Amino acid sequence: MPPLKNDCFALPPGVHWTPVDEALADLRARLSCVVGTETISVAEALGRILATDITAPRAHPPLPNTAVDGYGFLNGRGEGDHHIPLVAQHMPAGATPDTSVPAGTAIRILTGAALPDGVDTVILQEDVEVKDGAIHFTGPIKQGSNTRKAGEDVKTGDAIARTGRKLTPADLALFSAVGVAEVAVRQRLRVGILSTGDELKQPGEDAGPGQIYDANRPMLHGLITQLGHAPIDLGHVPDDRDTLRTRFDDAALKTDVILTSGGASAGDADHVSALLNEAGAMALWRIAIKPGRPLALGMWDATPVFGLPGNPVAAMVCTLVFGAPALATLAGAHWTDPQGFMVPAAFCKSKKAGRREFLRARMRDGQVEVFASEGSGRISGLSWAEGLVELPDHAISITQGDLVRFIPWAGFGT
């Protein structure tokens, strides 16, 4: 059985403009993981999505140990001068703690070394003077100083990562520290990227006066790569329905999801929408968002299709706002909302009610400034920006210094 129903994107009758939050909640409820699993080494697992929970097979640290280079002994010491004889042995990191330190004596011990019997406190080497076979220092020092308890970080059997987590360098360190060598992860989501339109030419080709270069495909390839998925270039298709149908058939065999740009509205040349309608698995979600609005969602031979706007600015915003969490869910990760923060505005703006707006923005001197033009054809604004300012659905007037929500590109998971 295919993971998703053929009508999973169908909208109820009478739906017109859908608020952003409602559209996101609807997507979240409809989507589920569509990829299988594989087992790989921890060293290869950066950015991959866990397919199973991970529990610690070994405690960290496995034994009580010292956090510093110094001298170990039993119990703390009060104020005043202290003199403790040294035993002949010493404890380097990695040595088996088979030495027993008699009460009233101390042992040389190095960072990371396990504490032998008779040691529960370590004093820094900088705080002692060694002479005549003894250490000399001035107290006080608390019992347990400069030591780590066994399992104080992770105990054997502790859950250290849950299914659906996208693995970070820190996760690889933690897995390795407790002895995990291999992990079961989701196979990378294969995302096909397809541009449509007679007007498009590829960079390096000759372009006529009425033609433009395809900016969407390289942009989407980069976004999909940064999101941790596997982009598959499906090329460019002219405004020809039969050619597009053949390309869809081929794409459904080698991708898990298809992203198209252009041809996703309801015009005569909008063949993406037409073909999805023909397949009986098309929903044109009219979303109250600027830039953006139409988002064609459908299925082609059990493969989900996201029809993005042809305008590069709208295509990028829709990919970040809707595509990033949706693709994460299809890839087996947790649905994540964009992570932004409130910062003072370095701009003024009056916004009408009715649509969620996203402005190209960047941080400078502790304030967020927005691109000079809101025109969705200004691709240079995407390169200029470091993220987006999100303005709410309701009417709002912003003056310089007001707090606004800024979402850096990384806040979308890139």
Side-chain angles (χ1 to χ4, degrees):
M1 293 292 293
L4 300 177
K5 298 179 184 177
N6 201 49
D7 62 349
C8 75
F9 295 119
L11 292 173
V15 170
H16 187 47
W17 291 108
T18 304
V20 169
D21 288 342
E22 184 178 322
L24 289 170
D26 215 351
L27 274 178
R28 184 175 187 175
R30 294 165 186 250
L31 298 178
S32 58
C33 179
V34 298
V35 295
T37 64
E38 59 181 333
T39 299
I40 62 174
S41 71
V42 165
E44 300 173 306
L46 179 64
R48 302 298 295 272
I49 297 165
L50 269 184
T52 60
D53 293 347
I54 302 295
T55 57
R58 188 178 194 235
H60 183 256
L63 294 171
N65 66 75
T66 175
V68 299
D69 289 341
Y71 299 87
F73 46 84
L74 191 64
N75 299 323
R77 295 295 188 273
E79 294 184 359
D81 294 333
H82 300 278
H83 312 277
I84 306 178
L86 279 171
V87 297
Q89 299 92 337
H90 74 286
M91 281 297 298
T96 301
D98 53 7
T99 297
S100 181
V101 179
T105 64
I107 188 172
R108 174 68 166 150
I109 192 166
L110 303 181
T111 303
L115 301 183
D117 288 342
V119 172
D120 63 7
T121 303
V122 176
I123 188 169
L124 276 74
Q125 63 184 19
E126 296 89 342
D127 293 338
V128 306
E129 181 183 4
V130 180
K131 64 178 182 179
D132 300 328
I135 57 172
H136 305 263
F137 61 92
T138 301
I141 182 171
K142 292 182 179 179
Q143 184 178 20
S145 290
N146 302 311
T147 64
R148 309 181 184 107
K149 296 178 181 177
E152 72 172 22
D153 184 20
V154 177
K155 294 180 175 61
T156 301
D158 279 356
I160 56 174
R162 297 291 186 185
T163 301
R165 180 176 176 84
K166 186 176 181 179
L167 297 178
T168 67
D171 292 324
L172 308 191
L174 179 57
F175 294 172
S176 299
V178 296
V180 174
E182 294 183 327
V183 289
V185 296
R186 292 291 180 180
Q187 295 170 343
R188 288 196 186 276
L189 187 74
R190 300 169 300 170
V191 182
I193 302 168
L194 178 66
S195 292
T196 68
D198 287 341
E199 74 279 14
L200 295 181
K201 300 293 283 186
Q202 303 312 306
E205 296 178 346
D206 292 332
Q211 295 178 313
I212 59 174
Y213 289 115
D214 184 0
N216 283 345
R217 224 161 76 239
M219 175 188 70
L220 292 173
H221 190 286
L223 276 177
I224 296 308
T225 300
Q226 286 191 325
L227 290 170
H229 311 304
I232 296 177
D233 190 352
L234 300 178
H236 161 247
V237 174
D239 290 322
D240 180 86
R241 195 164 300 181
D242 289 336
T243 303
L244 182 58
R245 182 185 291 108
T246 300
R247 194 68 58 88
F248 271 177
D249 287 341
D250 178 64
L253 297 174
K254 60 185 182 183
T255 67
D256 301 304
V257 60
I258 301 170
L259 296 187
T260 69
S261 58
S265 191
D268 293 341
D270 289 322
H271 298 295
V272 171
S273 300
L275 281 178
L276 293 176
N277 272 319
E278 180 183 301
M282 160 71 182
L284 187 63
W285 289 22
R286 293 176 175 87
I287 301 170
I289 185 174
K290 178 183 177 182
R293 294 194 181 184
L295 186 64
L297 299 170
M299 302 289 289
W300 188 268
D301 195 17
T303 301
V305 179
F306 285 70
L308 300 168
N311 183 291
V313 176
M316 182 166 178
V317 170
C318 284
T319 300
L320 292 171
V321 175
F322 301 104
L327 295 176
T329 301
L330 292 170
H334 302 301
W335 180 283
T336 53
D337 297 319
Q339 301 299 303
F341 48 93
M342 304 300 289
V343 295
F347 63 94
C348 299
K349 178 179 172 60
S350 292
K351 174 196 169 295
K352 296 179 181 179
R355 287 193 292 175
R356 183 81 50 90
E357 293 191 16
F358 291 89
L359 311 177
R360 285 151 280 178
R362 67 185 186 184
M363 290 291 299
R364 290 294 182 274
D365 300 322
Q367 294 185 313
V368 62
E369 57 186 30
V370 297
F371 191 56
S373 170
E374 293 182 22
S376 56
R378 299 286 293 273
I379 303 176
S380 61
L382 292 175
S383 178
W384 172 92
E386 298 169 349
L388 300 173
V389 162
E390 180 184 16
L391 300 182
D393 301 348
H394 58 76
I396 188 173
S397 292
I398 299 166
T399 58
Q400 190 162 343
D402 289 346
L403 294 179
V404 294
R405 187 168 189 249
F406 174 64
I407 309 172
W409 299 135
F412 291 100
T414 62

